[in-house]
Amino acid sequence: MNKYVIIGNGVAACGCVEGIRSYDKEGSITIISEENHPVYSRPLISYYLEDKTDLKRMLYRDEDFYEKNKCKVYYNKKAVKVDKEEKSVTLDDSTIIYYDKLCVAAGSRPFVPPFKGLETVKNKFSFMKLDDALEIEKVLSKKARVLIVGAGLIGLKCAEGIYDKVRHITICDLAPRLLSSILDEESEAIVRKTLIDKDIDLMLGDTAESFDTNKAFMKSGKTVEFDILVLAVGVRANTELLSEEGIACGRGIVVNDRQETSVKGIFAAGDCTEYMDISSNQQKVMAILPNAYMQGKCAGSNMVGIDCAFDDAFPMNSMGIFGTHMMTAGCYCREEDGGEVYIEKSDDKLKKLFMKDGYLKGFILVNDIKKAGIYTSMIRNQVPLDTVDFNLVKTNPELIAFGVDYVKEKMTASV
Amino acid sequence: MKRVYVNEKWCLGCHLCEYNCAFANSGLTDMVEALKDKKIYPKIHVEGNDKINYAVSCRHCEDPMCIKSCIAGAISKKDGVVTIDKNKCVGCLTCVLVCPYGCVTPSESGVADKCELCTNNGQTEPACVKGCPNRAIVFEER
């Protein structure tokens, strides 16, 4: 009987359990969970503060998930060492757990730069875990002024989540744009207007350098007073358990399309990994939930010995912020790098499709998201553009653009 | 399992399926009240060009991208039917981003919506099938 051990209890771990149990109903599964919660959806913590979900509904799986899948979960325990020779994991209470196959799905953690005076700030928070949201919830008040450092996905979703429960929000970021990792200038302008219309103060190209109790001293020389500080500067992959064992790690644990690390029998999945982005042909950390699940499931199958590949990954995001909805995917090849860009634009809508070498490589859609999945599938399946009616699909993504035979295949048989 | 299939040769492109779908899912008994002067949110869509028409609705895929991608864990398969738990859905629309057939759409309330083969609205068979004047849409085992 195989002994499977999973470090982490998030979505990648859940995928891993489901991957294992698709093929092996008997092997033992042990999960090491640093958090004291069953698997829940982390991106939902902003919706929790916004009262759009609650602790029960934000669970990613039914409450009997572990029981049904015969998993033993160590809650509130941290894995402190992996021994690849002994094939064991040591926990912070010195418990040693032996494995035949290990999956590291240890996620990521907030990166907090060493700000001077940060220790003098009382109400300071990160915004990644459910416990962060529960802590922030305690101090929210209609009197509170909030400073959010970081205008990425985490910072903006936090702003939306707490908006109706605080007096005022300021967001600063060293980057000159909001969501600089997924939006370009034109798309950002639409999102920026949405936030400005909500009277959120934006300080872009500027960031806090030091703090004193309830004051932030900015790089620009300005001072921002706040009651609540949210630090959403960035995240770092949790690689240490494996890097300390000499297992290959870059910014994330290096995995191949079987989710194998550089050591046989040790797999990794989710936000702690770096893996191949087929749209840019680069190995990178793509910390997004759908990929985490698919990586986990792929790892689980391979841990059982059933060959499975997750070889069509790329970054993608769907995100609404105060009613502005954006979807982005793949890589944005610039014209100077041999790319081609198709643009449709109006005041509050934008569609940009990025092509290169005869393939769709990426897109940015703002408030024009209808059938976006057809574009996504063109990136995923690397559909040669000369085989589709691109003039049709760029304005109106419909299946007929792929030809009558494709329509027949998909509409008249099970897929 | 029985699914909705479309014979594109027979589809007239009349869009009646869209109205029948919206009516069946409105919870109302009067079609005029349900549809007149209202923006409708059908879960089946007629597509095509000057040569061909066909209606597209959820394929209830064997290995659905929407289920694997849902950030809320709100989509699951129940007896073969891909189902959205609207109580869990927060309307992030990642499912719209990943459905390769364009079959998930935002509903009026903003949460994601798709064809559930009329298993969730008190119909005995899919309304699009029942109302198709040319029997281009069928509900059968294949």
Side-chain angles (χ1 to χ4, degrees):
Chain A
M1 197 174 82
N2 252 324
K3 289 196 292 282
Y4 305 103
V5 174
I6 304 171
I7 298 176
N9 188 26
V11 164
C14 174
C16 187
V17 169
E18 292 178 353
I20 293 169
R21 286 290 179 245
S22 300
Y23 304 104
D24 183 349
K25 308 279 183 218
E26 296 307 319
S28 70
I29 301 178
T30 304
I31 296 172
I32 298 153
S33 176
E34 212 175 309
E35 290 178 76
N36 199 20
H37 304 288
V39 58
Y40 66 93
S41 169
R42 275 197 179 167
L44 261 54
I45 61 173
S46 71
Y47 298 92
Y48 169 78
L49 292 178
E50 210 183 340
D51 299 324
K52 282 191 172 174
T53 188
D54 54 40
L55 295 177
K56 197 164 183 302
R57 285 184 288 162
M58 68 195 290
L59 292 179
Y60 186 69
R61 287 293 182 259
D62 291 341
E63 281 172 87
D64 61 357
F65 173 76
Y66 301 101
E67 196 189 318
K68 247 174 40 196
N69 287 293
K70 290 192 262 177
C71 301
K72 177 175 171 57
V73 188
Y74 285 86
Y75 282 110
N76 254 330
K77 294 279 186 285
K78 190 173 157 61
V80 293
K81 182 169 173 57
V82 169
D83 188 323
K84 67 181 180 191
E85 310 299 335
E86 293 285 321
K87 298 180 102 174
S88 68
V89 179
T90 307
L91 308 189
D92 50 1
D93 64 357
S94 305
T95 304
I96 296 178
I97 301 167
Y98 292 92
Y99 63 82
D100 296 315
K101 297 284 162 58
L102 173 68
C103 182
V104 178
S108 56
R109 60 179 181 275
F111 165 67
V112 180
F115 292 115
K116 196 175 154 230
L118 188 59
E119 69 286 354
T120 66
V121 179
K122 188 170 148 252
N123 288 325
K124 57 174 182 283
F125 307 92
S126 293
F127 196 63
M128 273 193 77
K129 298 185 294 191
L130 177 54
D131 287 346
D132 297 331
L134 295 174
E135 287 301 309
I136 292 176
E137 189 180 28
K138 289 181 195 160
V139 299
L140 291 178
S141 94
K142 281 303 240 180
K143 290 182 187 158
R145 298 158 300 174
V146 182
L147 172 62
I148 299 175
V149 182
L153 292 156
I154 292 176
L156 293 200
K157 285 308 277 186
C158 178
E160 184 182 50
I162 64 177
Y163 183 79
D164 283 331
K165 297 183 173 175
V166 298
R167 170 150 60 112
H168 183 258
I169 299 173
T170 303
I171 304 174
C172 67
D173 198 304
L174 194 55
R177 302 199 307 266
L178 303 168
L179 295 167
S180 57
S181 64
I182 59 167
L183 297 183
D184 66 356
E185 273 175 45
E186 274 173 299
S187 48
E188 191 260 3
I190 302 173
V191 179
R192 188 189 295 212
K193 185 172 181 300
T194 307
L195 295 189
I196 291 171
D197 287 348
K198 285 283 182 184
D199 288 323
I200 292 174
D201 274 345
L202 299 177
M203 302 177 85
L204 299 169
D206 195 3
T207 193
E209 283 195 322
S210 63
F211 296 94
D212 184 11
T213 325
N214 64 345
K215 285 194 191 75
F217 303 102
M218 308 298 290
K219 187 167 163 265
S220 60
K222 291 178 188 158
T223 304
V224 179
E225 289 197 34
F226 61 84
D227 305 296
I228 297 170
L229 175 67
V230 177
L231 296 165
V233 178
V235 296
R236 290 287 180 270
N238 291 324
T239 58
E240 290 76 6
L241 280 173
L242 295 191
S243 63
E244 283 163 8
E245 277 293 275
I247 293 167
C249 294
R251 298 180 80 165
I253 300 163
V254 177
V255 291
N256 63 13
D257 60 14
R258 265 64 182 174
Q259 304 306 131
E260 294 163 320
T261 67
S262 60
V263 167
K264 206 168 176 315
I266 301 182
F267 297 74
D271 292 7
C272 61
T273 63
E274 59 171 64
Y275 54 110
M276 185 54 75
D277 165 11
I278 59 159
S279 69
S280 67
N281 207 28
Q282 282 171 350
Q283 184 92 0
K284 58 167 81 151
V285 174
M286 292 177 271
I288 58 168
L289 190 143
N291 287 6
Y293 178 81
M294 290 185 270
Q295 285 185 295
K297 192 151 191 208
C298 173
S301 305
N302 287 313
M303 287 161 78
V304 177
I306 304 293
D307 185 47
C308 172
F310 178 48
D311 54 5
D312 54 8
F314 52 92
M316 57 180 181
N317 274 289
S318 175
M319 174 194 181
I321 182 94
F322 298 115
T324 290
H325 211 106
M326 67 206 97
M327 291 189 182
T328 61
C331 87
Y332 313 147
C333 331
R334 298 174 307 169
E335 280 172 342
E336 50 265 46
D337 299 327
E340 232 185 296
V341 190
Y342 169 75
I343 304 174
E344 266 176 41
K345 203 181 160 190
S346 66
D347 280 355
D348 62 342
K349 284 186 184 175
L350 180 73
K351 176 189 284 190
K352 276 194 179 188
L353 306 177
F354 299 86
M355 287 84 67
K356 198 181 172 189
D357 304 329
Y359 295 95
L360 181 66
K361 293 288 188 179
F363 60 77
I364 299 175
L365 309 174
V366 184
N367 292 330
D368 184 6
I369 56 162
K370 204 175 159 194
K371 303 192 183 191
I374 291 184
Y375 296 131
T376 308
S377 74
M378 288 174 68
I379 302 175
R380 189 176 302 284
N381 300 327
Q382 305 189 55
V383 177
L385 293 180
D386 58 9
T387 64
V388 302
D389 181 348
F390 192 68
N391 276 328
L392 174 65
V393 91
K394 69 186 181 190
T395 53
N396 195 12
E398 289 193 348
L399 301 178
I400 189 66
F402 303 93
V404 176
D405 290 345
Y406 183 84
V407 172
K408 277 190 193 164
E409 183 192 325
K410 301 304 179 190
M411 293 300 122
T412 61
S414 58
V415 290
Chain B
M1 73 174 267
K2 280 169 102 173
R3 288 185 172 89
V4 168
Y5 297 103
V6 177
N7 186 341
E8 83 292 342
K9 283 197 188 108
W10 292 92
C11 177
L12 305 166
C14 70
H15 295 259
L16 250 182
C17 50
E18 296 174 359
Y19 291 96
N20 283 319
C21 175
F23 177 43
N25 290 298
S26 67
L28 298 171
T29 50
D30 181 55
M31 196 168 194
V32 177
E33 194 192 337
L35 306 180
K36 193 165 183 265
D37 300 327
K38 285 188 182 159
K39 181 170 164 40
I40 62 166
Y41 294 84
K43 306 162 197 202
I44 186 164
H45 298 92
V46 175
E47 295 185 358
N49 54 25
D50 50 355
K51 294 190 193 74
I52 177 178
N53 288 292
Y54 54 93
V56 186
S57 58
C58 174
R59 307 319 300 145
H60 301 278
C61 306
E62 287 299 320
D63 186 21
M65 280 302 296
C66 57
I67 294 184
K68 295 188 281 189
S69 303
C70 177
I71 71 162
I75 312 182
S76 60
K77 232 184 203 189
K78 295 196 171 73
D79 300 323
V81 182
V82 177
T83 306
I84 301 180
D85 180 345
K86 295 196 180 60
N87 196 31
K88 285 187 86 169
C89 174
V90 292
C92 78
L93 307 184
T94 303
C95 47
V96 176
L97 173 67
V98 299
C99 174
Y101 308 113
C103 288
V104 192
T105 49
S107 64
E108 194 166 5
S109 68
V111 302
D113 207 359
K114 55 178 278 307
C115 165
E116 297 186 10
L117 301 174
C118 282
T119 54
N120 56 344
N121 56 14
Q123 304 289 313
T124 49
E125 65 175 306
C128 56
V129 173
K130 206 171 165 184
C132 181
N134 219 26
R135 293 194 192 158
I137 313 174
V138 295
F139 184 51
E140 60 188 35
E141 201 92 41
R142 279 194 189 172

